[in-house]
Each structure stands twice: as C-alpha cells, then as structure tokens.
C-alpha cells in the first residue's frame, strides 16, 4: 500500500503546475535531464515496449535547426527555453523486446508482422511517456511547455533522416527513417509572473461516467 502524496506535492504536480511560455535565467543541467529520464522510464507501456525516444535540444545550434519547423507562435518561447525535448517514437521499438519483455519471446515477431499495430502502439505509448516525462520534470522542480505546433514531417527529415540514409544521425538508436516525432516540450524554470489566468477544466460529471 502506497502513501497518499501531500497536498503540497499534488499542487506541484497538478493543481498549481502550469504550461509555461517564459523562463527564468536558470540553467537546466544535463544531470537533471538524466534524473528526469531515470524517473520517467518506470512509467508503464504496452508489453514494456518503451517506444519513446527523446532528443534534448540544449545548444543554440540545435535550437536553430528547430526554428524553421515551428509554428510562428511557438518560435520565441522555444528559442528562449533552456531545453526543448523532441518526444519521438521508434517504429522498430519491438527489436528491443527481447531485452524489455524477455519472458514472452513471441511478442517481437507479433509486432514485426503487424505494422499497423506497431504504429498505433508506438504513438499511444510515446504520448504516455511524454506525459510521464512532464510529470517527472515537475516532480523534480522544473516546468514544462508542451507543443504540437510544428511540422512533423520536416522535423523528421531534419533530425531523424526520414526518407534518406542516416547521414546526420549521431545516435545509433535512431535508425534511419524509423523514428517519428510526436510532440515537443520546452523545459526550464518557468517565470510565473508571465502567466495568464488559468482556464477551467471539465467537472467530473462532464467528463466521467460511473457505470
Ligand atoms: C500535446 C500538447 C500540445 C500543445 N501544443 C501547443 C502549441 O503548439 N502551442 C502552444 O502555445 N501551446 C500548446 N499547448 C499548451 C496547451 O494549450 C496548455 O497546456 C493548456 O491550455 C493548459 O494550460 P495550463 O497547463 O497552463 O493550465 C499544448 C499542450 C499539449 C499537452
């Protein structure tokens, strides 16, 4: 039986946590990025497949590669953010199932023979993993600014060599043409003085039914 988290913790994770567009001048270290990953990786995924791949853009050069791919309203805040994460998914995620799901060796072949299942599973679970990443970042004291306003196809060409050989791929785990972007998330320490009033959420009776 787990303990119930304190009100303070629930505020930090959900009730007081906001989507941020402006950032304090406080750096985000590579060490905290590793800590975020080492917490979020424990979130559950289908068959433990863990299809999400994360590219942390911290250098000005990597941000400039992203700039032309962004919707106009997302450019300035993304350029100003200490880190922007590309949350992506690997369509060959099933090749890692022998490590991740060793007690059911048939799973790898089951996915390998079902491209539609691979795509649906990769998208669903990378979205979940993106949410785990945001919650882990908040738990470790950072703020997030998720975004889907960008050109996915062009980003995949720029960062994942979609449609061509993997010339610029510096990571062997981004097989050419098999990694696709899902969404982006700015990370940093948010400037709360810049926030607009919060929009409401649906009440329980508007969003839930009890059967
Ligand atoms: C997957 C996703 C995509 C989003 N895309 C954008 C975007 O492209 N540009 C933007 O300004 N905000 C974007 N948002 C931010 C949402 O509008 C924001 O999270 C929502 O209004 C809740 O705001 P709050 O967390 O401050 O309450 C996105 C949020 C999510 C989760």
């Amino acid at each position: 039986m787990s303990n119930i988290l304190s009100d303070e913790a629930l505020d930090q994770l959900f009730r007081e946590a906001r989507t941020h567009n402006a950032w304090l001048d406080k750096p985000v270290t590579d060490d905290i990025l590793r800590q975020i990953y080492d917490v979020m990786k424990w979130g559950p995924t289908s068959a433990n497949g863990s299809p999400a791949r994360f590219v942390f853009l911290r250098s000005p050069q990597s941000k400039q590669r992203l700039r032309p791919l962004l919707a106009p309203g997302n450019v300035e805040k993304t350029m100003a953010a200490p880190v922007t994460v590309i949350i992506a998914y690997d369509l060959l995620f099933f090749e890692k199932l022998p490590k991740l799901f060793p007690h059911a060796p048939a799973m790898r072949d089951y996915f390998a023979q079902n491209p539609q299942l691979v795509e649906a599973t990769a998208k669903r679970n990378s979205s979940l993993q993106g949410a785990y990443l945001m919650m882990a970042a908040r738990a470790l004291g950072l703020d997030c600014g998720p975004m889907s306003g960008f050109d996915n196809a062009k980003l995949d060409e720029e960062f994942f060599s979609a449609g061509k050989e993997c010339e610029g791929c510096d990571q062997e785990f981004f097989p050419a043409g098999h990694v696709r972007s899902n969404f982006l998330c700015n990370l940093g320490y948010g400037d709360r003085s810049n926030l607009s009033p919060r929009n409401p959420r649906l009440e329980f009776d508007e969003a839930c039914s009890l059967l």
Side-chain angles (χ1 to χ4, degrees):
M1 187 73 177
S2 301
N3 291 325
I4 294 174
L5 294 184
S6 67
D7 259 352
E8 195 184 8
L10 293 175
D11 284 348
Q12 179 169 330
L13 293 174
F14 292 101
R15 294 187 291 232
E16 297 293 332
R18 294 293 310 277
T19 297
H20 281 266
N21 298 317
W23 308 97
L24 300 176
D25 186 17
K26 182 174 171 187
V28 173
T29 61
D30 287 359
D31 183 56
I32 195 103
L33 297 177
R34 287 179 181 278
Q35 288 180 44
I36 291 170
Y37 181 76
D38 280 336
V39 171
M40 65 72 53
K41 72 184 180 186
W42 296 111
T45 55
S46 307
N48 200 32
S50 310
R53 302 290 178 266
F54 305 95
V55 185
F56 294 99
L57 307 178
R58 319 105 80 225
S59 68
Q61 294 87 335
S62 63
K63 291 289 202 73
Q64 287 305 323
R65 288 171 68 193
L66 184 63
R67 179 190 269 272
L69 317 173
L70 295 168
N74 288 334
V75 171
E76 289 316 319
K77 59 187 169 192
T78 303
M79 292 304 116
V83 177
T84 305
V85 195
I86 305 170
I87 292 111
Y89 52 92
D90 184 356
L91 290 169
L92 290 179
F93 73 87
F94 52 83
E95 297 293 7
K96 303 218 184 285
L97 288 178
K99 168 180 174 169
L100 297 172
F101 212 57
H103 55 285
M107 268 298 188
R108 185 243 163 241
D109 295 345
Y110 181 63
F111 278 110
Q113 289 154 15
N114 285 280
Q116 283 177 330
L117 179 67
V118 165
E119 177 145 8
T121 303
K123 280 188 180 164
R124 179 181 307 117
N125 288 278
S126 66
S127 298
L128 285 169
Q129 290 184 277
Y132 303 148
L133 176 110
M134 290 195 279
M135 301 316 294
R138 287 174 171 181
L140 291 168
L142 281 89
D143 292 298
C144 305
M147 295 170 293
S148 51
F150 66 97
D151 187 325
N152 288 74
K154 286 194 178 143
L155 187 146
D156 295 349
E157 268 180 45
E158 175 64 30
F159 287 93
F160 303 126
S161 296
K164 53 181 171 159
E165 283 305 301
C166 193
E167 286 163 24
C169 288
D170 44 3
Q171 311 260 13
E172 66 177 40
F173 51 81
F174 294 154
H178 289 103
V179 178
R180 301 266 189 283
S181 52
N182 186 335
F183 69 102
L184 304 172
C185 186
N186 289 329
L187 288 177
Y189 299 91
D191 181 355
R192 292 193 76 88
S193 68
N194 213 279
L195 290 171
S196 318
R198 197 169 210 192
N199 287 323
R201 301 298 199 255
L202 298 177
E203 297 303 329
F204 183 91
D205 290 342
E206 296 176 286
C208 312
S209 67
L210 295 167
L211 299 181

